[in-house]
Structures are given as structure tokens and as C-alpha cells.
């Protein structure tokens, strides 16, 4: 029996499993999913979990049940590409593979800033986000919450927290000239106006030099903070960082056109760990995973895989429960409609993976 092992049960990992199972998996192939949690957490909605407007139960999706799929729970400590095996920490189990899919996602990048990892909260994992919610919930009225990073995650978290805790003093601190710097300026202006009308402070050109308990430092300026959430950059998880293979400037694995590690063609990398021509996102991970599933099936049939270019549908963001924004192709959308669309995408995600 040949073993195809998928590391990570997030958007990319589950998408490739679904595609493989839906397209007549060969009788001699066994699928093994490895994850630290007994369910998928809908990471695109972690901002709501942190803000307290969604429960952790609402953001769980059960893993698929299928006779050709087995699930192993544990923390992955290392990947031996030469020996074709994966080591888990808790049980010290070794999982051998014939084919491997690395879909382990990302972790925070602190850019070497002193104290950032120790004194800020994260929304990168399910457990870290639950802890962040507990800490935010315990902030006293009129407390100060700073969100470092004005990208999509920081904006959605700030807006959701404002609706959850109108008593708090909330600020976004960003090193760029505006929030959502990767989006068209008209979207930034719309979001800035929303924040102004909802009493959320947005500060640009802030370069955090160090973080301490209760304070951040912008050069010589001290910024007081009861809680600080870090949304200022991501990088592949540690186990991928430790792989001695070619990576891009962001630490993501450089792949061939079939999403394989060139020196190890039985190993595929998808999602946030892969060097792709897109910003890391659940949508990109899912689209790439579907493509990789077709590649694997073609190779199993002895055929040369036919690749179609990956096309993403766009990006949607939420400003609380009633407003939103998005970029559909080159078209900016703002207001109630993108928020309804985002809710629809969430419903479809739960229905598809669940």
C-alpha cells in the first residue's frame, strides 16, 4: 500500500484531500492526514473569535470521514526528506510516506523586534486566538488595545473588537502610509472613514523598535498598551523553516511548476509555505491544492500533468457585522454587499469542508 501523507488540516490540506477522494483514489493508495487538532479551524474568521463575536465551536469544521482516509493527531517536529518520514513529538511516532503534501500554514514574523514575541498576542493558531480572546475579554473598561499591522487581519480585528467592546480605546499601528497598503487607495480611504466614525485610531509611519509589558516603543516615543495584538507579518512554520531546501526571501519553499520540491518530486508544498505569485490566503491555498490533486492523479495514471493558471476570485474583508470591503479583479467594492458576500463564502466553506 502506497502512503500519501498530508501535513496540516487547514484550507489547503482539506482541499487536496477532498479532490483526491472525489476523483477515484487508486485502490493501493492510503491517505493519512496529520494535524495537531481534531478539527479544522476556519482561520479567516479568527479575528471574530479573538474579538468575542464568534465562539470557537462556530469556527470548527469536522474532518472528512472516509474508509481510505486515516487521521493522526500530533505536533510535527521534523520532516526527513531523505528518509521519507515525519516525526511527531507527543508520541514520538514516525510516519513514513511515499508521497508527502506539506500544508502547514504560517506563524507570526516578528522581524527581530525585541520583546514582540513575548509581549504581544497572536491570532495565527486556534489555541493562540482563544488565549488572545481571554486576554482581551479581561481588559478593563477604557483600557488600551493596540493592533500592530494595518493589513487585512489587523483591520478586521480592530473593527470586530470595536463592535464587541465599545468601551475600549483601540488603535492600529502601521509602518506604512495607510492601512491596507496592498489594496487600492480608495479602499483604504473608505476603511479609514469607517474607523474615524467608530472611534478607532489609525496611526501610520509607526516603526516599532521594541515591545515591553504594557508598552511599545516607536523610536523614542512610548505607546502605552494594556494588550497588544501582532498582525504585522507572517512566515512559514518552524518545521518548514528548518528544511534545508531553496526558499524565497519570505522563507517560502521554491517549487517547480507542479508544486513539487525540485530535488524531492514526491513532496508537494501548498499554501502559506509555498512560494506563489499571490499573497498567502485561504483562497490561494485551496486553488493550488486542487491543481496539485490533478497533478498527482495524472502522474499516477502515467500521464504528463496539464496545468491551468491559478486564478483567484478576489479578496473580501469585514468591518464588523454590517459593512465590508473587497477587491474583485480590479474593481473595489465597499459597504453592505461585500459583507454579505463574505458571510456567504463562510457558509460555503463550512458546507464544503464539513
Amino acid at each position: 500500500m502506497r502512503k500519501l501523507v498530508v501535513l496540516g488540516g487547514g484550507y489547503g490540506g482539506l482541499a487536496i484531500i477532498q479532490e483526491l477522494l472525489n476523483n477515484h483514489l487508486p485502490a493501493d493508495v492510503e491517505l493519512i492526514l496529520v494535524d495537531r487538532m481534531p478539527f479544522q479551524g476556519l482561520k479567516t474568521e479568527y479575528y471574530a473569535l479573538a474579538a468575542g463575536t464568534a465562539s470557537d465551536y462556530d469556527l470548527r469544521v469536522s474532518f472528512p470521514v472516509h474508509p481510505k482516509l486515516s487521521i493522526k493527531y500530533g505536533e510535527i517536529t521534523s520532516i526527513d526528506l531523505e528518509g521519507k518520514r515525519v516525526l511527531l513529538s507527543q508520541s514520538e511516532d514516525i510516519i513514513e510516506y511515499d508521497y508527502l503534501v506539506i500544508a502547514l500554514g504560517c506563524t507570526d514574523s516578528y522581524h527581530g523586534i525585541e520583546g514582540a514575541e513575548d509581549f504581544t498576542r497572536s491570532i495565527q493558531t486556534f489555541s493562540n486566538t482563544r488565549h488572545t480572546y481571554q486576554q482581551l475579554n479581561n481588559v478593563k473598561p477604557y483600557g488600551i488595545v493596540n493592533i500592530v499591522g494595518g493589513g487585512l487581519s489587523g483591520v478586521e480585528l480592530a473593527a470586530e473588537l470595536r463592535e464587541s467592546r465599545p468601551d475600549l480605546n483601540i488603535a492600529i499601528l502601521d509602518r506604512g502610509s495607510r492601512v491596507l497598503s496592498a489594496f487600492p487607495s480608495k479602499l483604504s480611504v473608505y476603511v479609514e472613514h469607517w474607523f474615524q466614525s467608530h472611534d478607532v485610531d489609525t496611526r501610520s509611519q509607526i516603526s516599532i523598535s521594541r515591545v515591553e509589558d504594557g508598552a511599545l516603543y516607536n523610536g523614542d516615543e512610548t505607546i502605552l498598551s494594556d494588550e497588544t495584538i501582532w498582525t504585522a507579518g507572517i512566515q512559514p512554520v518552524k518545521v518548514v523553516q528548518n528544511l534545508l531546501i531553496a526558499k524565497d526571501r519570505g522563507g517560502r519553499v521554491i517549487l517547480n511548476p507542479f508544486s513539487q520540491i525540485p530535488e524531492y518530486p514526491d513532496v508537494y508544498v501548498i499554501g502559506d509555505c509555498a512560494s506563489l505569485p499571490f499573497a498567502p490566503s485561504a483562497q490561494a491555498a485551496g486553488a493550488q491544492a486542487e491543481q496539485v490533486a490533478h497533478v498527482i492523479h495524472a502522474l499516477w495514471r502515467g500521464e504528463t500533468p496539464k496545468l491551468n493558471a491559478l486564478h483567484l476570485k478576489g479578496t473580501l474583508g469585514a468591518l464588523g457585522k454590517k459593512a465590508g470591503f473587497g477587491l474583485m479583479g480590479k474593481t473595489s467594492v465597499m459597504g453592505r454587499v461585500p459583507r454579505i458576500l463574505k458571510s456567504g463564502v463562510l457558509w460555503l466553506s463550512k458546507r464544503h469542508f464539513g
Side-chain angles (χ1 to χ4, degrees):
M1 184 73 79
R2 294 178 292 172
K3 293 182 178 180
L4 191 157
V5 176
V6 178
L7 305 182
Y11 292 97
L14 286 194
I16 194 168
I17 286 172
Q18 294 280 18
E19 285 294 317
L20 290 172
L21 292 176
N22 290 342
N23 288 279
H24 306 293
L25 195 69
D28 66 336
V29 173
E30 176 190 5
L31 282 178
I32 301 173
L33 169 63
V34 183
D35 199 276
R36 67 160 72 93
M37 302 292 286
F39 50 81
Q40 180 201 9
L42 294 174
K43 191 172 183 178
T44 58
E45 305 300 310
Y46 281 2
Y47 69 91
L49 174 59
T53 58
S55 72
D56 61 1
Y57 183 80
D58 293 332
L59 303 187
R60 300 180 191 178
V61 175
S62 299
F63 290 140
V65 176
H66 193 279
K68 298 298 294 289
L69 174 67
S70 59
I71 302 175
K72 184 74 175 180
Y73 301 119
E75 190 78 31
I76 300 162
T77 57
S78 64
I79 301 170
D80 180 0
L81 296 175
E82 293 291 340
K84 303 187 75 168
R85 58 185 189 171
V86 177
L87 179 65
L88 305 183
S89 61
Q90 290 93 331
S91 58
E92 296 186 351
D93 278 355
I94 293 176
I95 300 176
E96 297 181 339
Y97 64 84
D98 297 288
Y99 313 97
L100 183 68
V101 176
I102 300 174
L104 289 171
C106 61
T107 187
D108 291 297
S109 176
Y110 297 101
H111 312 291
I113 297 174
E114 179 185 351
E117 184 172 5
D118 296 325
F119 298 111
T120 67
R121 310 299 177 188
S122 172
I123 58 171
Q124 287 300 325
T125 69
F126 203 89
S127 58
N128 282 346
T129 305
R130 284 191 290 196
H131 180 65
T132 296
Y133 159 69
Q134 292 171 345
Q135 297 302 118
L136 288 174
N137 190 57
N138 290 336
V139 176
K140 295 180 179 180
Y142 312 116
I144 302 170
V145 175
N146 288 299
I147 298 168
V148 181
L152 182 61
S153 295
V155 164
E156 290 190 308
L157 176 58
E160 201 78 8
L161 186 60
R162 166 51 73 225
E163 291 200 349
S164 173
R165 292 288 306 271
D167 57 289
L168 296 178
N169 295 292
I170 302 170
I172 295 179
L173 312 177
D174 193 78
R175 66 183 304 174
S177 59
R178 57 185 173 91
V179 297
L180 297 178
S181 59
F183 290 75
S185 59
K186 65 187 300 183
L187 286 181
S188 298
V189 170
Y190 171 75
V191 170
E192 291 273 9
H193 286 166
W194 192 95
F195 281 140
Q196 289 173 10
S197 64
H198 289 80
D199 198 25
V200 174
D201 190 18
T202 57
R203 297 190 57 188
S204 59
Q205 310 290 353
I206 300 294
S207 182
I208 302 299
S209 55
R210 77 178 191 276
V211 183
E212 295 179 356
D213 186 16
L216 304 94
Y217 294 88
N218 175 39
D220 294 330
E221 177 192 8
T222 301
I223 302 173
L224 298 179
S225 189
D226 292 299
E227 287 294 342
T228 302
I229 300 93
W230 192 267
T231 64
I234 57 174
Q235 61 184 336
V237 295
K238 190 68 174 178
V239 68
V240 173
Q241 294 177 37
N242 292 339
L243 293 176
L244 300 178
I245 52 178
K247 303 185 181 87
D248 64 17
R249 293 178 60 185
R252 299 174 180 87
V253 180
I254 296 175
L255 306 169
N256 66 18
F258 298 143
S259 292
Q260 300 163 329
I261 298 177
E263 302 88 345
Y264 304 96
D266 292 327
V267 181
Y268 301 82
V269 183
I270 60 178
D272 298 347
C273 296
S275 183
L276 300 176
F278 307 107
S281 69
Q283 185 182 172
Q288 186 199 8
E290 292 180 7
Q291 184 184 74
V292 169
H294 293 304
V295 167
I296 291 173
H297 271 297
L299 293 175
W300 282 342
R301 293 191 300 266
E303 302 172 358
T304 300
K306 297 179 180 179
L307 294 178
N308 295 317
L310 295 178
H311 294 289
L312 304 187
K313 298 177 181 179
T315 303
L316 295 169
L319 293 173
K321 292 293 186 286
K322 296 181 179 180
F325 56 92
L327 187 63
M328 312 303 289
K330 295 183 179 180
T331 302
S332 298
V333 289
M334 296 159 281
R336 182 73 170 168
V337 171
R339 186 64 184 92
I340 293 172
L341 290 174
K342 181 175 170 65
S343 298
V345 170
L346 175 61
W347 182 86
L348 287 173
S349 295
K350 290 182 177 181
R351 181 181 178 87
H352 175 69
F353 289 121

